[in-house]
Amino acid sequence: MDLPGPNVHVFMTEEQQYEFLKLLAKVISKDYEFGSTFQEESWSIVTNQMQRMNPHLSVAHLKAKLRIFTSKYWLFSTLLARRGVQWDRRTNSMTYARPGVWISYSLEYPKGYPFRYEGIQPRLFDAMRDVFEAGVAID
């Protein structure tokens, strides 16, 4: 079977994204210690599992998706750490104590614009936290 190249966008459903993050977290918790680096062998394991859900995925696609998740997680976590910012996980909506909170954030982090009114889906955010707060370098 011919797989699309890494520069071709491969759609992942929210469920596939969630499963990808949970699989990464599982491999990390099982095989890695804080401060270690994710190995290519582990990428093969993750890719083989994910290809059962979406046969068009490759290691390059999953690494690209992880880079997007890394950026989103960092931007959103930075926003949540600001005073005057509240995230309602139930409705996935954002509120700001005053307009200046959003304005200062958006000037400092222009790529954070998607979070003006809506956060990351809570279960995806929790799965991202499990991966990115494990202290394992992944690339």
Side-chain angles (χ1 to χ4, degrees), residues 3-80:
L3 295 175
N7 294 328
V8 175
H9 178 73
V10 176
F11 178 76
M12 288 177 72
T13 65
E14 184 179 317
E15 185 62 28
Q16 290 170 345
Q17 293 174 42
Y18 176 73
E19 290 301 323
F20 170 51
L21 290 165
K22 293 307 288 179
L23 183 56
L24 279 173
K26 180 180 175 184
V27 170
I28 288 169
S29 69
K30 179 179 167 238
D31 297 333
Y32 292 91
E33 294 179 9
F34 189 88
S36 58
T37 302
F38 204 74
Q39 302 296 314
E40 287 301 318
E41 175 183 317
S42 295
W43 273 115
S44 295
I45 292 167
V46 169
T47 303
N48 287 338
Q49 290 286 326
M50 290 305 299
Q51 285 177 339
R52 293 179 184 165
M53 284 186 263
N54 185 338
H56 300 292
L57 293 170
S58 68
V59 172
H61 291 116
L62 294 174
K63 285 183 177 184
K65 190 62 166 177
L66 187 64
R67 283 190 293 277
I68 292 167
F69 283 147
T70 302
S71 176
K72 283 183 177 183
Y73 181 77
W74 185 84
L75 286 166
F76 191 59
S77 295
T78 302
L79 176 60
L80 290 178

Side-chain angles (χ1 to χ4, degrees), residues 50-119:
M50 290 305 299
Q51 285 177 339
R52 293 179 184 165
M53 284 186 263
N54 185 338
H56 300 292
L57 293 170
S58 68
V59 172
H61 291 116
L62 294 174
K63 285 183 177 184
K65 190 62 166 177
L66 187 64
R67 283 190 293 277
I68 292 167
F69 283 147
T70 302
S71 176
K72 283 183 177 183
Y73 181 77
W74 185 84
L75 286 166
F76 191 59
S77 295
T78 302
L79 176 60
L80 290 178
R82 296 217 171 197
R83 283 170 76 192
V85 175
Q86 290 186 330
W87 175 37
D88 183 333
R89 291 174 63 96
R90 189 179 52 76
T91 62
N92 195 28
S93 59
M94 305 299 295
T95 55
Y96 304 92
R98 58 191 190 292
V101 173
W102 172 254
I103 293 168
S104 68
Y105 173 82
S106 64
L107 290 171
E108 193 172 346
Y109 303 104
K111 290 186 178 182
Y113 69 88
F115 305 125
R116 172 66 175 103
Y117 299 105
E118 184 177 275

